[in-house]
Structure formats: structure tokens, C-alpha cells
């Protein structure tokens, strides 16, 4: 009887410890054969326009993202939405600085995707 109680307590302790483990953002995971999976950073569909605009302003300003491609008459200007412009800027920042520890977070306004968000003549950079 005591052995069974210890087993149950051990199981419950393991669940408690696993449940309290910190969640880390996924970045550049590699496959079992060592090949790196391509990842892009895009705006989260659930983020508000205000949150996206604030993060976009930071990325294109202090963040150092390349945002010339989302200016009028440039390949990524259309569609002219905050979400689309934020996606381009977030990815520019992420690709530029991910090897220095940058994440795709932007105060929870962004997310990582393995689907290339490029469209038409607008190409989202990917750096291995």
C-alpha cells in the first residue's frame, strides 16, 4: 500500500513540475538530420491594430528593422494594412537579430510561422 502511495505521489510531483516549467519561444529548431527549419515572424491575428501599430513603430524605429519595402511604391506596400506592414517589419527585425538572441514576441503581437508569408513581388527574408 505504501509503495502505491509513493508511486501516485511521484506521478503527481512530476505533473506539478512539468506544469510549472517555463514556456520558451520557439526559434530555429532543427530536424533530426540537422537541417534547419525555415521560420518567419509575422503579426498575430489576435493582436489589436493598436498593439500592432505600437510594435511596428518600434521595429521600424529603435528596433532597426528594414522598413523601406513597406513604403509607398515599394514591393511590400500593398496590401496597405497595419497587420501586413507589421508582419514585414517583425520578420525583418527577427531575421536580422535572431542570431543575437532576438525573439519573435513584440509584446505578444507576433508569432512564428513555418509558412513563407511572401506574396507577389513582396519577398519576406529568411536567413538560416
Amino acid at each position: 500500500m505504501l509503495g502505491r502511495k509513493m508511486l501516485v505521489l511521484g506521478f503527481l510531483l512530476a505533473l506539478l513540475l512539468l506544469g510549472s516549467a517555463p514556456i520558451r519561444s520557439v526559434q530555429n529548431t532543427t530536424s533530426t538530420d540537422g537541417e534547419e527549419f525555415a521560420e518567419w515572424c509575422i503579426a498575430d491575428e489576435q493582436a489589436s491594430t493598436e498593439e500592432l501599430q505600437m510594435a511596428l513603430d518600434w521595429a521600424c524605429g529603435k528596433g532597426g528593422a528594414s522598413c523601406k519595402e513597406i513604403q509607398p511604391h515599394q514591393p511590400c506596400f500593398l496590401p496597405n494594412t497595419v497587420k501586413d506592414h507589421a508582419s514585414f517589419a517583425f520578420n525583418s527585425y527577427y531575421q536580422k537579430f535572431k542570431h543575437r538572441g532576438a525573439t519573435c514576441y513584440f509584446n505578444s503581437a507576433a508569432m512564428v510561422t513555418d509558412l513563407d508569408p511572401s506574396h507577389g513581388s513582396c519577398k519576406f527574408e529568411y536567413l538560416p
Side-chain angles (χ1 to χ4, degrees):
M1 187 65 140
L2 181 59
R4 186 169 187 229
K5 285 183 181 178
M6 293 299 289
L7 183 62
V8 169
L9 283 174
F11 179 73
L12 291 173
L13 180 60
L15 283 176
L16 179 65
L17 291 174
L18 286 174
S20 64
I23 298 172
R24 65 180 188 83
S25 65
V26 176
Q27 294 185 28
N28 300 325
T29 54
T30 55
S31 66
T32 54
D33 62 3
E35 186 176 319
E36 191 172 286
F37 293 112
E39 292 181 336
W40 294 266
C41 181
I42 60 170
D44 189 325
E45 295 284 340
Q46 297 179 13
S48 71
T49 300
E50 293 78 23
E51 291 170 317
L52 292 173
Q53 186 65 61
M54 286 178 24
L56 171 61
D57 292 345
W58 181 87
C60 291
K62 290 183 180 182
S66 175
C67 296
K68 65 182 185 223
E69 294 88 346
I70 57 176
Q71 299 304 312
H73 310 293
Q74 296 300 312
C76 298
F77 179 69
L78 296 175
N80 183 15
T81 67
V82 172
K83 181 181 82 64
D84 286 284
H85 288 185
S87 287
F88 188 87
F90 294 171
N91 188 66
S92 170
Y93 170 84
Y94 180 62
Q95 298 300 329
K96 188 174 182 179
F97 298 112
K98 66 185 176 185
H99 295 297
R100 292 193 223 164
T103 62
C104 176
Y105 182 66
F106 295 92
N107 205 22
S108 77
M111 58 184 276
V112 171
T113 183
D114 61 355
L115 301 174
D116 185 351
S118 299
H119 52 89
S121 61
C122 179
K123 304 300 179 203
F124 278 57
E125 182 176 37
Y126 166 70
L127 298 174

